[in-house]
Amino acid sequence: MNPNDLALAAATAVAEVLPAATPLTVAPPQPGTEHVAQAFAGAVIAEVTGNRAGALALLVGTDLVNALAASPLGG
């Protein structure tokens, strides 16, 4: 599996379990730059090890950040 397919599969799996009023949309993987990240309100970053080592970031919009902050679990 190539790195883009792996990132897309990971994002799809995460999108299925995040709380949202409507289904979340997964975008194609993009290189991590400040320009890309500026459009989003929050992120979770994970270091990945193994055959495909690197960092994987899940970027989310303001609506989801606000919903998570208001949840019983907090921000």
Side-chain angles (χ1 to χ4, degrees):
M1 182 176 284
N2 74 49
N4 284 344
D5 290 342
L6 185 58
L8 190 58
T12 300
V14 170
E16 292 174 0
V17 298
L18 286 174
T22 58
L24 299 174
T25 302
V26 176
Q30 298 182 25
T33 66
E34 288 181 29
H35 177 69
V36 170
Q38 285 178 342
F40 297 90
V44 175
I45 301 171
E47 293 294 325
V48 180
T49 60
N51 292 339
R52 304 270 190 207
L56 180 66
L58 172 68
L59 305 172
V60 296
T62 304
D63 290 348
L64 184 56
V65 169
N66 291 340
L68 290 172
S71 79
L73 299 174

